[in-house]
Structures are given as structure tokens and as C-alpha cells.
Amino acid sequence: MRNLLILFLLTASASLWGQSSSIFDKMQGAEILDATLKTDLSQLLSAIEGDAEYQPAVFSFTAPNGEAFTINLKVKQRGKFRRTACDFPPIMLNFSAKELTRMGLADYDKYKLVTHCSEDLPVGNEKVLREYLAYKLYQELTPQSYRVQLVRIQYLDSSHRISGFTRYGIIIEDTDEMASRIGGKECDDCFYALNGMLHHSSVNLHAMFQYMIGNSDYSLPVLRNVKLVRSQRNNLLIPVGYDFDFSGLVEAPYAIPASHLGQFVVRQRIYLGTFTPDEDMKQVVNLFFNKQDRILRLIQQFKPLPARQRAEVKDYILSFYEQMEMLRRKDFQDAYRLIRQEHPNAIPDGGQKQDYVIRASKGK
């Protein structure tokens, strides 16, 4: 626990040393930020997979401190699966680094906009809100995570062929910005990183968070839905997860079970962390229990999500804590034997065969 506390303090303070505010910093502070994105929506929606190109757009918002921003930028469809499965594609916001610098802001210029998938208003908004909540739970556990901003975004069509509409969305922190904030740089070619290159406390925490929200749609070895940040302090690699739409907590309409891992339903949890000494796992489990009240309070107080859906999320998280209680109350090794299972297809962080996964109930 002491090592995790030191790590938290070091990474939390990194953003205080010599950093200019970013355009993302200007968005922070409001529970929901109202914004407008104006572009040729017909062109944006008609882009063919693999052939999307940037197009001009205008992004406007008023910061929580009352400062108004209207910025020219470029946008395009992004992502792979979502853009083929959804009614409306996720978007990349590409600001001009030079323009940001001219405005006295840091030159972090690329931000992902997670959009509604379904044109069905209640369903589309619900899934965005659930995924946003997943990111906020991650932030509650560690600063080694992406910051996010919930936006109520009005889409305007500059070609006047599509009527404007408003939906919830999530703006995700620029990756270089995130890496700098936690005291490192992204290592985008660190595939199959060796075990000795990884910061094990961070690896264990990341894996347990993914397990808590029921997400099996990631792979540390091949950097699927995970970024690795090389710490400038000790040169070790820190995993930072993203894209939680396939998790049991979000349960997107298009999410399918990871059958290659033995998952039968999306809400079934499968632990994809590596074998780790009991003392190290105890440290991580204790951290999650220390954060339990704050996590449950965060869920309960997230009023944009209707009460019934908040209750569903809370029940799902409580089912995680019920299993973790088994690890605390019984002999740790005996409890592990009850939930370890051989699985030949799971690949651990170091690129060697993983000897166990943790399986939990399929959820309520």
C-alpha cells in the first residue's frame, strides 16, 4: 500500500511542474460542458471505412470560468469497430498546435470524442454516460488514467442538409498530455514488453480495474485498448487503459463475449492480469477496498444517469467486492485456488502463457 501511495503522489504532482494549461484543462470543472461542433455532417457520415480524411470544423464552448472559446479545427471519423457498428461514428478532434500556442495554451492538439452509438436517444445517452462513469471510477483509483470531460454537444451541419441535434459525448485527454501529466512519455512500439520493463504495481492495478468493470476487450502485450507510458523517474512502463464499451458495466448493444477467453456473456468477469505474489495482490485488493465508499458514492451521485441505471451499475460493482471479500476473509492462497483456472489462450503482460484467469459470476 505504501508503494501505491507514493506512486499516486508522484504522478498527481507531475502536472503541477511547469505545464501550461491545455484546451482540455479549460474544459474541466463542469459536470457537463455544453459545446457545439459545426462541420459538414453529410461528408463526415459518408466517409468510407479506412478512407476517412480530416475536414474543417468549428468547436465552441464556454469554460466553467465564463471564458468563451470558438476554435477552428479539423475532424474525422475514427476507430474501427464502433464506426461500422454505430449509427453515428466516434470522432477525432484535431486542433491546430500553432493556434493553441498563439492562444497561450499547451500544444496538445488531438482529442478523441466518444459519441453516441445509437440514434435511439435514451439508449445512446445511457451508454455514453455509463462509459464516462467507468473512466471516472478509473480516475478515482489512480491518476495513471485518462482524464475525461462529459459534454452535451450540439452538432450543426454546415452544409444545411442535416438538421442539428444534441447528444452526450466524452472528450478524452490527449495521450501525450496524459503521459506528461503522470511523469512519462508514451511508448507506442513497446509490443510484448518484457516482464522486467513493467511497473508491477501499476500493472496489477490496471488489471484489477478492468476486472472490476468486467472488461476483457484489451491486451497489454499487443497494446489493444492500452497505452504504455515510460516513466521518466524509473524507466518502467505504466499501462493506461481506455475504450470500455465492451465491459459488463457499459454493456454496449454491439458488445459480444470474448469467446476465445471462455467468456459466455459480456457481464462475466475474466481476470487477464499475470500471476503475481499474494502480497502484491493483497496490496491491490486493499487499495480497492479503501476506495470502495468513494466509488459507490461516485456512482450514486452521478445524477445524469437515471436512478435505475445507477442502481444497476452499483449492483455490478458490489458483485466485484463480494468476490474480493472472499480473498480477504479466507486464506489468500486457498481462495486463489478456488478462482484460478487454466486457460491456454490467455497471454500475459510478458508475452508468455498465462496460467490462470479469474472467473466470477455472470452478474445480475
Side-chain angles (χ1 to χ4, degrees):
M1 182 58 65
R2 181 174 176 272
N3 290 338
L4 286 172
L5 179 60
I6 293 173
L7 185 63
F8 185 95
L9 294 174
L10 285 171
T11 52
S13 62
S15 62
L16 301 178
W17 300 338
Q19 294 291 329
S20 301
S21 295
S22 67
I23 190 65
F24 185 80
D25 290 328
K26 296 295 184 179
M27 302 178 197
Q28 295 279 278
E31 181 176 42
I32 305 173
L33 182 77
D34 287 304
T36 300
L37 180 65
K38 186 175 183 179
T39 191
D40 188 332
L41 292 177
S42 297
Q43 179 179 331
L44 182 70
L45 295 173
S46 64
I48 301 174
E49 182 181 2
D51 194 36
E53 296 183 355
Y54 280 112
Q55 62 186 66
V58 179
F59 185 74
S60 305
F61 70 94
T62 299
N65 66 0
E67 190 175 4
F69 292 87
T70 298
I71 308 173
N72 293 318
L73 74 163
K74 297 181 291 184
V75 298
K76 71 173 182 179
Q77 288 190 22
R78 65 172 184 84
K80 297 179 182 178
F81 189 87
R82 286 198 208 197
R83 63 188 290 185
T84 60
C86 294
D87 298 325
F88 193 81
I91 296 171
M92 177 64 76
L93 306 176
N94 187 355
F95 294 91
S96 165
K98 290 183 178 179
E99 178 65 12
L100 292 173
T101 301
R102 187 193 66 78
M103 296 170 64
L105 299 171
D107 61 358
Y108 301 118
D109 58 352
K110 290 183 175 63
Y111 296 89
K112 292 178 180 179
L113 173 60
V114 179
T115 57
H116 62 287
C117 176
S118 173
E119 291 293 352
D120 183 307
L121 183 60
V123 173
N125 280 340
E126 176 196 346
K127 299 309 178 182
V128 169
L129 292 170
R130 281 177 177 255
E131 187 166 7
Y132 173 78
L133 189 53
Y135 278 101
K136 297 303 288 185
L137 297 182
Y138 197 7
Q139 281 185 259
E140 182 61 49
L141 289 162
T142 175
Q144 295 176 345
S145 55
Y146 280 99
R147 292 184 297 164
V148 288
Q149 178 60 53
L150 182 62
V151 291
R152 185 167 38 230
I153 188 162
Q154 181 183 26
Y155 296 93
L156 298 177
D157 182 23
S158 59
S159 69
H160 304 292
R161 286 176 284 185
I162 298 177
S163 299
F165 56 93
T166 301
R167 294 289 191 277
Y168 281 124
I170 307 167
I171 296 179
I172 302 177
E173 185 177 22
D174 179 284
T175 294
D176 290 337
E177 183 175 7
M178 175 274 293
S180 176
R181 174 173 55 80
I182 68 174
K185 291 186 177 181
E186 180 191 3
C187 184
D188 55 10
D189 60 352
C190 288
F191 297 96
Y192 293 99
L194 297 176
N195 197 43
M197 300 169 61
L198 299 167
H199 190 286
H200 289 290
S201 294
S202 301
V203 169
N204 292 339
L205 190 151
H206 167 259
M208 188 61 76
F209 165 75
Q210 298 277 18
Y211 180 64
M212 181 180 76
I213 67 169
N215 188 38
S216 301
D217 186 34
Y218 76 96
S219 172
L220 194 51
V222 300
L223 302 187
R224 173 176 172 77
N225 294 335
V226 181
K227 298 293 185 182
L228 283 177
V229 176
R230 188 180 298 280
S231 172
Q232 293 176 336
R233 185 173 66 89
N234 54 25
N235 215 37
L236 294 177
L237 297 172
I238 300 166
V240 179
Y242 61 96
D243 276 6
F244 307 128
D245 51 322
F246 271 65
S247 69
L249 187 148
V250 177
E251 203 175 12
Y254 50 80
I256 55 177
S259 57
H260 64 290
L261 296 175
Q263 189 181 45
F264 298 103
V265 294
V266 171
R267 289 174 64 85
Q268 180 185 358
R269 291 184 173 96
I270 297 180
Y271 187 78
L272 297 179
T274 54
F275 185 89
T276 188
D278 287 351
E279 284 303 316
D280 291 347
M281 186 57 75
K282 282 182 181 179
Q283 190 179 77
V284 174
V285 170
N286 286 337
L287 172 65
F288 276 74
F289 273 106
N290 289 339
K291 290 284 188 176
Q292 181 177 3
D293 289 344
R294 293 176 65 94
I295 284 173
L296 295 177
R297 189 180 309 118
L298 194 156
I299 295 169
Q300 186 60 39
Q301 294 178 349
F302 185 53
K303 297 302 175 64
L305 194 63
R308 179 181 62 80
Q309 294 161 12
R310 293 201 308 272
E312 290 177 359
V313 172
K314 181 180 178 181
D315 286 346
Y316 189 68
I317 295 299
L318 283 174
S319 70
F320 160 80
Y321 277 105
E322 288 170 2
Q323 187 183 23
M324 291 302 103
E325 189 64 36
M326 178 180 68
L327 295 184
R328 294 213 304 180
R329 291 188 175 184
K330 296 186 178 182
D331 175 80
F332 216 75
Q333 192 66 31
D334 286 343
Y336 255 164
R337 291 192 186 100
L338 294 174
I339 55 181
R340 285 179 185 155
Q341 293 188 32
E342 187 79 16
H343 197 285
N345 294 328
I347 303 296
D349 307 343
Q352 300 176 6
K353 184 178 292 187
Q354 179 170 320
D355 70 340
Y356 74 94
V357 294
I358 300 177
R359 302 186 187 281
S361 65
K362 296 179 181 179
K364 299 178 180 179

